[in-house]
Amino acid sequence: MMTPTLKFTPVLSCLVVLILSACQSALLQDSATMATNTPAPANETTDGEPGDVLEAFIQAWAREDYEAMHRLIAGRSRELYPLQRFINQYTKAHSVIRFAGVRHEIHSVARQGETAIIRYAAVIESPTFGEMTDDNRVMRMIQEGGWKIAWSSMDIFDGMSSRARLTAPANFPPRANIYDRNGKALAEEAGIVYSLYAIKQDMRDVEDCLATLAQATLQQISALRGVFANYLAETRFHVAEIDEERYTRYREALDADCAIVPTDGPFSKVLSYESRSYYGHGIATHVVGYVGAVPADELERWEARGRSAGDLVGRAGIEEAYEDTLAGAPQRLLRIVEDGNTVIRELAGALGSAPSAVTLTIDRDLQEITAQALADAVSYAVPNWGGIAAGGAIVALDVNTGAILALASYPSFDPHIFNPQTTYNIGNALRRLDRDVRNPFVNKALAEQYTPGSVYKIVTALAAASERIWAPDEIFECGYIWRGGEYGDSEEFRTDWRLLEGREPTGPVTMPQALAASCNPFFYEMGALMFHENPLMQIRYAELLGFGAPSGLFGLGIEAAGTVSPPREPAAAINNAIGQGEVTVTVVQMAQLAALVANGGRFYQPYIVSHIGSEGEADYAVVNVPTLKAQLSLDATALQVLRDGMCLVTTSRDLGTAEFVFRGASYTLCGKTGTAETAGNPHAWFVAYYPREEPEIAFAGVMAQSREGSEVVAPIIRRILDDYRGQPVEPFPDWWAEPYIPLKSQQQALAEYLAEEN
């Protein structure tokens, strides 16, 4: 019985044999476990002609049913190749070629007594090499109660003796670069990486050195101090790696404060090597990602994409999401070789494809300023909130396109750690990162969701004004205490945040002023009134504005959706109204909210990749353009309430919760502070759009487990804008360097107030 005639694809010519002749794959060392003690299954009688046996064997091979194949081979072959060894022969070969199937065509069958010789062709399918036609194959069969295959390794590929192995070495082209919107490199192939070493006794002042290293490497001083503590004063130890531009910038300070200076010889305190380099020592690690060797536990997944053990691949961020674009496809030649790399036969070739650069929407200057401001703020505030904060993030979004201009997550880490060429002690470095309770590997702008606190009052104000729950110019008396019994509130009293700090009550306010002053009682009442009108009113506005669903930002890994749970009772709606109930948000979602207020409701899809390749070249392709997901029909009066209130936040001395932060600035931005109570210390928030007139950038930032938003995140964003505009930066508050004083909870403040009243 013969299979239908096939149209064969010729074997690919060995175009790259000279290039690859010196290469050797380590995948198929002939060191497979020999299961010599495995008893051979009972010999089965095979009825039918030799061609039928061959067809059964090929069909079993196609479905990788090795036991069925083994049952069809002769007794002597079973002795030489017990089942496990037989299986190893095929699985080793399959791992090299990425086996995907096989079919055959018989040319002739010659029988002489109890022996049969079949000449046939096999077509082996591979996602790497395509269809490989192995013509002129010969299979010998003998009679053993039926026809059995006198099997040898040449029945895998013609010419593959017991001393031979398959190799398919990959010749990867240089990985393509990742650029910012202005063509500045964020990840650069064949860049220079500088390894820094230190000796404590050579330093003029260890604390000065720690401060300089913290700034140069974006690490917290306390973390660096922990590294220093592991070494004696006279010991030379590795401190960090930084890229060429950053080393040039800090070279003089490293010399003056740390005595880190290059000298001749292997014991220099500055060594360098050429590798994939990341600009800014981790300023954009959570965006760009990093490369590393294929992990053993992910080998199967990467092999399915044509990679092998030991290959460098993108492991996170854009490096991973655009792996095939940045790496291209390697040039491979499938060969049978014997010891000494003697080539027995070339089987097929894969020419590969050239890599293409990826260009992001990130503004490298703004990204670096943002990451540096976060790191500097935490280091400076270590005696205070910086020593207890659980990390944070800041996002800058183009108001008019949805493009991400900066996305910084703190703490960050050096992406060079995962490169096998690194001079880090990789095990120690990874253990330090794993032990960091702030989870530096997590992108806190996208993958974490937080209680928003008072920044969520923007949503509440929009809903209340749009639904005419409260008129914009209607007066509300904002005092210390709000009683919601008439609305069904389960709490007898609720307090304003001013009571916690011992400030005078806000007094009479309009709706924009209530937003500027962040008057809790006003928003308690809005939550209660909306619930009475329609329990889902507030939630519907939150969902309209993008909360409770991922933003769809592609390329940066896992994205949290946040939560906006429908309130089941008035108390839940009242809590939600001030961002303290069953509401959680991401930093990206809050940046979108600020952008929607600034641009009048144009809901753009956020994106971070602009294009691949170079304009005018064959590989050029636009990946993203500004995409309007929805034009929200926001009530014009309600929108003006939000804008007026947010602008008062930064300009009104009497009411604005962040006015003192931006006092004296040469620019005006409009924003909203937030302080979200948690089981521990509060989350500090600030969202804003800049400038006030014709807005361009929306900002959102959080610092988890720290203090108030006006005290922590607003000063950081002031630092970012000062620096980005090229102006002298406003110093961080002096009190950041003083001991931390916990904020009172609402319950504590209320108890103290009632005790005084009585």
Side-chain angles (χ1 to χ4, degrees):
M1 176 177 167
M2 298 178 61
T3 56
T5 302
L6 301 173
K7 181 178 180 181
F8 293 117
T9 302
V11 177
L12 293 174
S13 61
C14 304
L15 298 176
V16 293
V17 66
L18 293 177
I19 297 173
L20 297 177
S21 60
C23 300
Q24 179 177 339
S25 171
L27 279 175
L28 291 182
Q29 301 300 325
D30 195 12
S31 58
T33 303
M34 302 296 188
T36 55
N37 295 325
T38 304
N43 200 14
E44 294 184 1
T45 300
T46 305
D47 297 325
E49 295 300 312
D52 299 330
V53 177
L54 174 59
E55 181 170 0
F57 186 85
I58 295 294
Q59 289 178 351
W61 186 6
R63 63 179 184 269
E64 299 182 88
D65 186 348
Y66 304 118
E67 293 187 14
M69 296 165 68
H70 195 254
R71 288 195 294 268
L72 295 172
I73 70 176
R76 178 57 179 161
S77 298
R78 289 169 180 270
E79 293 175 7
L80 294 173
Y81 295 94
L83 178 60
Q84 189 57 55
R85 185 182 182 191
F86 179 82
I87 292 173
N88 289 345
Q89 295 290 313
Y90 277 94
T91 55
K92 286 192 300 180
H94 286 187
S95 69
V96 176
I97 66 177
R98 302 300 303 151
F99 178 81
V102 61
R103 61 189 191 275
H104 76 292
E105 179 185 0
I106 295 176
H107 296 327
S108 66
V109 179
R111 295 173 56 173
Q112 185 174 3
E114 294 187 349
T115 301
I117 302 295
I118 301 180
R119 299 186 182 278
Y120 70 104
V123 179
I124 299 174
E125 300 169 3
S126 161
T128 302
F129 299 104
E131 291 189 344
M132 296 175 288
T133 302
D134 193 20
D135 213 342
N136 300 318
R137 292 166 67 109
V138 177
M139 179 175 282
R140 180 172 169 266
M141 294 189 186
I142 60 176
Q143 278 281 0
E144 286 185 356
W147 291 106
K148 294 289 184 179
I149 300 167
W151 189 91
S152 74
S153 54
M154 284 191 286
D155 288 304
I156 301 176
F157 273 109
D158 184 27
M160 192 170 173
S161 69
S162 60
R163 299 186 305 275
R165 66 186 184 278
L166 285 173
T167 65
N171 181 23
F172 280 92
R175 193 175 181 90
N177 293 347
I178 300 174
Y179 296 104
D180 87 330
R181 68 192 297 114
N182 299 310
K184 298 178 180 179
L186 288 164
E188 183 178 18
E189 193 70 1
I192 303 299
V193 180
Y194 286 85
S195 298
L196 308 182
Y197 294 80
I199 300 175
K200 287 187 283 187
Q201 68 180 14
D202 293 349
M203 299 173 187
R204 181 184 59 196
D205 186 297
V206 171
E207 290 301 315
D208 287 348
C209 178
L210 287 169
T212 295
L213 283 171
Q215 189 171 49
T217 66
L218 282 78
Q219 296 185 68
Q220 194 167 306
I221 287 177
S222 57
L224 288 166
R225 189 174 286 117
V227 174
F228 275 43
N230 293 326
Y231 300 95
L232 299 173
E234 65 274 15
T235 303
R236 174 180 174 271
F237 60 96
H238 184 258
V239 176
E241 291 182 353
I242 55 178
D243 66 286
E244 187 170 19
E245 288 191 55
R246 204 162 185 86
Y247 173 68
T248 300
R249 185 187 310 172
Y250 287 96
R251 181 171 183 166
E252 292 184 3
L254 290 168
D255 183 357
D257 296 334
C258 302
I260 295 178
V261 60
T263 56
D264 293 333
F267 297 105
S268 173
K269 293 178 185 175
V270 180
L271 300 176
S272 63
Y273 64 92
E274 185 178 286
S275 183
R276 190 159 184 84
S277 177
Y278 295 93
Y279 177 83
H281 189 89
I283 64 163
T285 300
H286 295 92
V287 172
V288 175
Y290 50 87
V291 295
V294 172
D297 60 349
E298 297 179 19
L299 181 58
E300 184 175 353
R301 177 171 71 88
W302 282 105
E303 282 181 339
R305 298 175 63 178
R307 303 294 190 263
S308 303
D311 288 349
L312 286 182
V313 296
R315 296 281 305 278
I318 299 300
E319 291 275 32
E320 181 178 24
Y322 286 84
E323 165 66 20
D324 293 338
T325 300
L326 291 164
Q331 194 175 54
R332 294 181 186 268
L333 185 65
L334 181 64
R335 300 175 295 176
I336 300 174
V337 300
E338 287 188 346
D339 293 341
N341 291 330
T342 301
V343 178
I344 304 302
R345 185 181 173 199
E346 289 93 15
L347 297 172
L351 297 180
S353 60
S356 296
V358 175
T359 297
L360 308 184
T361 61
I362 292 291
D363 180 323
R364 193 177 80 174
D365 294 341
L366 181 58
Q367 178 71 29
E368 183 170 19
I369 288 168
T370 302
Q372 190 76 60
L374 272 169
D376 289 351
V378 175
S379 282
Y380 180 74
V382 161
N384 201 284
W385 60 264
I388 60 172
I394 291 178
V395 171
L397 183 71
D398 188 318
V399 164
N400 300 305
T401 66
I404 301 291
L405 303 176
L407 187 153
S409 179
Y410 183 88
S412 187
F413 58 95
D414 186 354
H416 298 116
I417 288 173
F418 295 90
N419 190 327
Q421 294 178 265
T422 186
T423 53
Y424 281 103
N425 181 315
I426 298 176
N428 288 344
L430 291 179
R431 278 191 291 272
R432 284 198 300 270
L433 291 170
D434 285 336
R435 287 196 300 263
D436 192 332
V437 296
R438 301 169 302 173
N439 296 322
F441 293 124
V442 174
N443 184 343
K444 291 177 170 53
L446 201 66
E448 292 277 17
Q449 53 194 36
Y450 303 92
T451 303
S454 292
V455 289
Y456 189 78
K457 291 173 181 175
I458 298 171
V459 178
T460 304
L462 177 65
S466 299
E467 298 295 330
R468 305 297 189 263
I469 299 298
W470 198 267
D473 56 355
E474 189 176 353
I475 299 298
F476 180 89
E477 186 64 35
C478 185
Y480 283 149
I481 303 296
W482 182 80
R483 293 174 173 84
E486 63 181 292
Y487 303 110
D489 189 11
S490 58
E491 297 287 335
E492 183 180 1
F493 301 105
R494 293 180 185 266
T495 62
D496 188 35
W497 64 270
R498 281 172 170 73
L499 179 62
L500 279 63
E501 300 187 4
R503 300 190 187 188
E504 290 295 318
T506 304
V509 289
T510 62
M511 183 178 276
Q513 291 172 333
L515 186 63
S518 202
C519 170
N520 282 349
F522 175 81
F523 290 96
Y524 295 145
E525 189 144 333
M526 295 307 102
L529 291 171
M530 283 191 285
F531 183 85
H532 179 74
E533 186 77 19
N534 181 345
L536 298 180
M537 181 183 293
Q538 184 190 136
I539 295 302
R540 286 175 178 168
Y541 274 86
E543 292 174 343
L544 178 71
L545 297 168
F547 296 103
S551 71
L553 180 59
F554 175 76
L556 304 186
I558 297 171
E559 180 180 6
T563 56
V564 283
S565 301
R568 297 185 180 87
E569 57 184 3
I574 292 165
N575 283 330
N576 286 354
I578 64 164
Q580 286 292 164
E582 297 178 345
V583 176
T584 59
V585 300
T586 69
V587 180
V588 169
Q589 288 172 338
M590 290 308 306
Q592 281 188 300
L593 175 62
L596 286 168
V597 175
N599 67 28
R602 296 196 302 277
F603 201 148
Y604 288 102
Q605 170 63 52
Y607 65 100
I608 202 163
V609 176
S610 170
H611 59 272
I612 62 173
S614 302
E615 193 167 0
E617 300 294 329
D619 64 342
Y620 179 76
V622 175
V623 176
N624 287 297
V625 294
T627 301
L628 191 64
K629 291 173 66 175
Q631 173 62 64
L632 304 183
S633 299
L634 301 182
D635 182 85
T637 300
L639 194 58
Q640 195 59 49
V641 165
L642 301 184
R643 289 171 173 168
D644 290 346
M646 291 174 70
C647 293
L648 287 172
V649 165
T650 59
T651 60
S652 172
R653 288 208 176 205
D654 295 331
L655 299 172
T657 55
E659 184 276 333
F660 70 97
V661 177
F662 294 93
R663 189 179 301 162
S666 61
Y667 52 87
T668 302
L669 79 164
C670 303
K672 180 72 188 79
T673 59
T675 306
E677 285 192 358
T678 72
N681 296 301
H683 298 334
W685 280 94
F686 186 65
V687 303
Y689 60 85
Y690 158 88
R692 177 174 183 166
E693 306 298 332
E694 299 183 4
E696 300 171 3
I697 305 174
F699 289 96
V702 69
M703 185 60 67
Q705 304 290 323
S706 58
R707 283 188 66 88
E708 294 184 355
S710 61
E711 296 176 327
V712 175
V713 182
I716 297 174
I717 290 181
R718 167 76 190 262
R719 168 68 62 94
I720 292 167
L721 277 171
D722 286 350
D723 202 352
Y724 187 59
R725 289 169 53 88
Q727 298 175 352
V729 298
E730 183 74 8
F732 289 136
D734 292 339
W735 64 265
W736 282 10
E738 298 172 359
Y740 184 81
I741 300 174
L743 292 176
K744 294 178 183 178
S745 68
Q746 289 196 43
Q747 289 76 11
Q748 289 174 317
L750 179 59
E752 292 176 4
Y753 174 76
L754 294 176
E756 291 176 2
E757 289 291 299
N758 295 331

